[in-house]
Amino acid sequence: LKDEKYRFAWTAIPKSFSEKYPDSKNAKVFVSNSFLQSIDGTDFGIIMEERKIGFLSVSFRSRTDFDVTPIAEELGGGGHKNAAATRVYNLAYDEAIEKVLEAARKYARKTS
């Protein structure tokens, strides 16, 4: 999905997807390293994967000079300017996604 107002793209993969398609275990890496970085009009991308109930793995990838580190740090993770990551624990899938998106919007460049 593309958040036009905050200039980022994101996607989330529920655990049920990886259970249904066990050969998709490398999808997160592919999406974060190639697909999300190719979406025009965005500064960064977020890929979230529910590894197990109550555990969301999150990767951030910059497309421009935008620094994704503060977003990851806000959520207890880290990394560097162009690539960062975090994990969100003990929240329902939808709540965890909303927590990540809220942090991303806090640091994103808002369009007018």
Side-chain angles (χ1 to χ4, degrees), residues 22-85:
D23 291 337
S24 68
K25 63 184 174 184
N26 294 321
K28 181 180 174 206
V29 173
F30 172 76
V31 171
S32 64
N33 289 336
S34 57
F35 177 69
L36 287 178
Q37 292 186 11
S38 69
I39 299 173
D40 288 334
T42 62
D43 291 322
F44 64 98
I46 306 168
I47 177 82
M48 298 172 265
E49 179 182 26
E50 184 181 37
R51 295 275 174 92
K52 59 184 179 180
I53 302 303
F55 172 30
L56 190 70
S57 175
V58 185
S59 295
F60 304 93
R61 296 293 185 271
S62 178
R63 276 193 87 236
T64 62
D65 63 342
F66 185 85
D67 186 353
V68 293
T69 310
I71 305 168
E73 289 175 348
E74 171 93 6
L75 297 164
H80 53 84
K81 182 177 180 176
N82 297 316

